[in-house]
Amino acid sequence: MSSFNTTEPILEKFDKNDISRLIDLSNSVGWDYDENEVTTVMSSGRIYGHKNEEGLIVSSAAIIDYSSKLASIGMVIVREDYRGMGLGRKATEKCLESVPINTPVMLIATEEGKPMYEKMGFTSIDSVHKFLCDNYEQSITSSTNNYNIEPLSEEDLYGLINLDTEAFGVNRETFLMNRINQSKDSLVVKSPDGAVIGYGLSVKGPVNLILGPIVATDSQTALLIIDELAKNHIGKLRIDVPSGNEIFMSKLEKYGFIKVSQPPIMIKNSNELPLRNNTLYGIAAQIFG
């Protein structure tokens, strides 16, 4: 902590007028939040943090509450000059206080943040696998067993939300509507009778095209969704894959994706995540769980 920071900054809830300063905070630690991503976070949940006397945002933490069954914390950032003051913990505690007591709260931790979360009562229960691809080349050409992959339409939303609820374990309709609005492409997989049996979104960030959520009946269908989302993109791709999808991850590596990290999933007020049906192949982003 620098010697000139003698007054503790003020903790507050941020609004849309703070978006540019939150992006500046993100940039200060090398993270790549942009206006669209921060807007989706705000529209889906709440962001708290500290401002100094000059109005500079020096910390943040966000919480997305899906229901009394689960909330997700992310965007926990402290500007380097203000570390050591407990600001990250205080902002995170404010997030926890904003949801009903005993609500299970999950987060996907950085190595730097993990000790703080452990002191706050979070425990590691699983992990996600972060994959990057520098330049995707279309290479998946197998059939989808007569399934059709097509752009999402309004009439598909009910089926998509139901699929996501079963895959993720809780209903997150508000977030999904915001994420769809943010997405570059939104696709659904349909059976021959027109039923929605899978879906995938892509979101263009400052650095990567983010692939997720990806929900599918099997790994090959998940790969075909990825292929459809990525095939015309020139640039870097990212997908974060839940554990338990080892066959899928091995196939990703064959198609040019490289695993770069495996951050832990941590949880408080529960010993496990809500029951899922093993159809979630890619998460939306670490902040959203």
Side-chain angles (χ1 to χ4, degrees):
M1 181 180 68
S2 298
S3 59
F4 58 80
N5 297 321
T6 57
T7 303
E8 180 166 326
I10 298 171
L11 178 63
E12 60 182 78
K13 180 182 177 182
F14 298 133
D15 60 31
K16 63 182 180 180
N17 296 315
D18 298 304
I19 289 176
S20 63
R21 285 176 287 189
L22 284 164
I23 295 169
D24 180 65
L25 174 67
S26 168
N27 291 338
S28 76
V29 297
W31 291 10
D32 59 352
Y33 281 92
D34 63 8
E35 182 176 357
N36 290 331
E37 189 77 346
V38 177
T39 298
T40 293
V41 174
M42 281 189 173
S43 300
S44 306
R46 297 169 296 285
I47 307 176
Y48 300 96
H50 294 84
K51 287 181 183 176
N52 68 9
E53 293 175 315
E54 289 75 38
L56 180 71
I57 294 178
V58 299
S59 79
S60 69
I63 187 161
I64 318 294
D65 49 332
Y66 298 118
S67 69
S68 60
K69 296 180 180 179
L70 188 67
S72 181
I73 284 178
M75 204 177 177
V76 181
I77 307 171
V78 179
R79 197 176 290 270
E80 186 173 358
D81 287 348
Y82 286 80
R83 292 174 184 173
M85 299 176 67
L87 302 184
R89 177 164 184 158
K90 290 174 183 177
T92 303
E93 287 173 341
K94 186 66 176 178
C95 289
L96 293 171
E97 292 168 2
S98 74
V99 297
I101 191 169
N102 295 325
T103 297
V105 181
M106 68 170 293
L107 57 84
I108 299 174
T110 61
E111 282 302 314
E112 297 81 5
K114 185 179 177 183
M116 180 188 79
Y117 301 130
E118 289 174 337
K119 291 177 183 177
M120 296 179 68
F122 286 87
T123 57
S124 298
I125 58 167
D126 207 337
S127 60
V128 295
H129 307 255
K130 176 181 175 181
F131 285 85
L132 298 178
C133 179
D134 284 341
N135 196 6
Y136 181 77
E137 295 184 10
Q138 185 177 12
S139 52
I140 306 168
T141 57
S142 302
S143 73
T144 56
N145 298 320
N146 296 319
Y147 298 160
N148 297 315
I149 299 179
E150 57 190 62
L152 172 69
S153 65
E154 187 173 352
E155 65 183 18
D156 301 324
L157 287 173
Y158 180 78
L160 183 153
I161 292 166
N162 284 341
L163 280 179
D164 186 81
T165 300
E166 294 176 359
F168 192 75
V170 295
N171 184 296
R172 49 181 186 165
E173 179 176 353
T174 298
F175 159 69
L176 285 173
M177 298 303 294
N178 291 329
R179 197 63 163 177
I180 290 167
N181 288 336
Q182 182 191 357
S183 66
K184 177 179 179 288
D185 291 300
S186 305
L187 304 175
V188 292
V189 182
K190 291 185 176 180
S191 62
D193 63 1
V196 177
I197 58 171
Y199 83 93
L201 308 180
S202 65
V203 171
K204 185 70 175 72
V207 178
N208 303 300
L209 181 69
I210 300 168
L211 306 177
I214 305 292
V215 173
T217 51
D218 55 70
S219 62
Q220 186 62 24
T221 302
L223 288 165
L224 286 158
I225 294 172
I226 288 171
D227 194 57
E228 192 67 24
L229 291 170
K231 66 182 182 181
N232 295 319
H233 177 69
I234 299 174
K236 298 178 181 295
L237 303 170
R238 171 175 175 172
I239 182 169
D240 292 66
V241 183
S243 290
N245 294 308
E246 282 69 27
I247 294 175
F248 174 69
M249 287 187 280
S250 67
K251 290 181 178 179
L252 279 180
E253 291 175 333
K254 292 180 180 178
Y255 296 124
F257 286 84
I258 298 172
K259 180 177 171 179
V260 296
S261 64
Q262 188 174 333
I265 298 173
M266 307 185 76
I267 198 164
K268 182 180 174 72
N269 300 329
S270 181
N271 295 320
E272 59 187 5
L273 294 171
L275 183 64
R276 300 177 173 185
N277 68 355
N278 300 315
T279 60
L280 183 64
Y281 286 88
I283 66 173
Q286 292 185 10
I287 186 172
F288 301 115

